[in-house]
Amino acid sequence: MAEIVVSEAISGPAMDALTAEFDVLCDPQLWQDEAALRSALVDARAIIVRNQTQVSAELIEGARQLEVIARAGAGLDNIDTEAAAANGIVVTYAPRENSLAVAELALGFMLNLARNIPNAHVDTRAGNWNRGQFVGTELSGKTLGLVGFGRIGQLVAERASAFGMRVVAYDKFLPEDAPVVKQLGVKLLEFSDVLQQADYVSCHVPLLPDTRHLFSSQEFRQMKPGACFLNTSRGEVVDEAALYDALLDGHLSGAAIDVREAEPPRPGGLAALDNVLVTPHIGAFSREAQLRVVEMVCKDVRAVLTGGEAQSTFQA
Ligand code: MLT
C-alpha cells in the first residue's frame, strides 16, 4: 500500500522528486471512486488533492495512519479541516501561489467581454469579415466592483487601475483603514453599493456557509442594467439559475464563469448563452502557478513525513 495517495491530476518536478523518495499512488480518477479512495487511505500517511476530492470527516476517520492532507490550491472548502485537526492531521495548502493566475484570468475575461473577442474569433474563422458587428466598449472609465478584496481581488484591482478603471470593493473582513485600500486607490463600499455602481462585478470570495448563493436574483437585479458579472472563485457562490435569468432577459449584458455549481456541469444552461464565456475551472492553471503550488505542497508533505514541520499550514 502507498505512503502517499494523489487522487487528482497533480504533476511536475516536485511531484517527481516525491515519487522518487516515497511510495506514491498517483491516480487522477481516484477522487471519483469513494470506496477505492477509502481503501487506498487505510495505510497512507499523506494525501494530495485539488478541489475535487471530498476529504470528509468520514474519510479522515477511516485513514488511521494519515499525517498530512495537502491541498494543491487555495480553497479548503473540500477538506473537513475540523475533523483533520481533531485527528491531529496537518493540513497544508497553497494560499498565495496561484493568486496571480486567477487575477490574470479575471482581467482576460473583462477584455474578452468588452470586445466580444470569442464571438469575433469564431465568426472570422468561419470566413466572415464582419467588422461592424463587433464594435465593443473600453474598460477605461468603467467601474469595476470587487466582491472580496483579499490577495486575488487586490491583484485584479492593481491591474484594472492600469487600464484606467475606477475600482470599488466590498470585503466583510477588511477594515476600512487597511493600508492596501489607500495604496491601490480603491473605495470600500457596502455590498449593495458595489453592485449598484459597477459596470463589471468580479467575485473573489471563498466558499463558506454564508457565501453559498451570495449572488442570487436579488443581487443580480441590484446590478446596473447592462453590467457584466465574473466568477473565478467558487461556483456555489452563485445561484446559476438566477444568473441565467438575469442574462436571458437582458438585465445583465454578459458574464464570464470559470467555476460552476456542479463540476463538470451538465451541457446547456449558462454555456448555451451567446453572451456568456465559460472555462473549465482553469483560474489557477498557469504553468508558473502550478509549479509554485505543487512545489509548496510537496515540500510540506516531505517535511511532515520526515519528521519536520510544514510551512504552509491551515489551523482550523
Ligand atoms: C484553488 O482553490 O486554488 C483553485 O480553485 C484551483 C484548484 O482548485 O485547483
Side-chain angles (χ1 to χ4, degrees), residues 50-51 71-75 98 234 281 284-285:
R50 284 195 189 277
N51 69 317
R71 163 71 170 94
N98 61 28
R234 280 293 178 271
H281 199 150
F285 283 12

Side-chain angles (χ1 to χ4, degrees), residues 13 26 113 221:
C26 225
L113 286 169
R221 296 292 150 194

Side-chain angles (χ1 to χ4, degrees), residues 50-52 71-77 94 98 102 232-234 259 281 283-285 290 293:
R50 284 195 189 277
N51 69 317
Q52 286 171 299
R71 163 71 170 94
L76 290 169
D77 44 281
N98 61 28
V102 180
T232 51
S233 65
R234 280 293 178 271
V259 288
H281 199 150
F285 283 12
Q290 285 311 303
V293 163

Side-chain angles (χ1 to χ4, degrees), residues 231-279:
N231 190 10
T232 51
S233 65
R234 280 293 178 271
E236 297 96 319
V237 170
V238 173
D239 175 349
E240 281 191 8
L243 176 59
Y244 183 88
D245 289 346
L247 286 158
L248 196 67
D249 70 15
H251 179 69
L252 298 185
S253 71
I257 306 291
D258 184 46
V259 288
R260 305 299 297 272
E261 277 193 89
E263 293 183 6
R266 289 212 205 118
L270 286 170
L273 298 178
D274 272 350
N275 52 353
V276 177
L277 299 180
V278 284
T279 48

Side-chain angles (χ1 to χ4, degrees), residues 51 56 70 99 126 129 138 143 171 177 196 222 245 298:
N51 69 317
S56 62
S99 306
W129 197 251
E138 291 170 358
T143 299
D171 193 303
D177 57 357
Q196 285 160 25
Q222 279 186 70
D245 289 346
C298 286

Side-chain angles (χ1 to χ4, degrees), residues 17-96:
L18 208 60
T19 308
E21 191 175 348
F22 297 92
D23 184 5
V24 181
L25 166 71
C26 225
D27 179 352
Q29 308 306 330
L30 194 56
W31 64 274
Q32 299 185 67
D33 185 341
E34 217 187 300
L37 180 60
R38 226 178 297 129
S39 126
L41 285 181
V42 169
D43 292 318
R45 298 173 65 202
I47 179 168
I48 310 181
V49 304
R50 284 195 189 277
N51 69 317
Q52 286 171 299
T53 312
Q54 294 307 314
V55 188
S56 62
E58 205 194 341
L59 195 75
I60 290 171
E61 293 297 338
R64 305 311 304 173
Q65 309 303 321
L66 204 60
E67 294 169 45
V68 53
I69 298 168
R71 163 71 170 94
L76 290 169
D77 44 281
N78 57 318
I79 317 273
D80 192 325
T81 51
E82 279 175 18
N87 285 275
I89 298 168
V90 174
V91 174
T92 175
Y93 68 138
R96 278 169 290 273

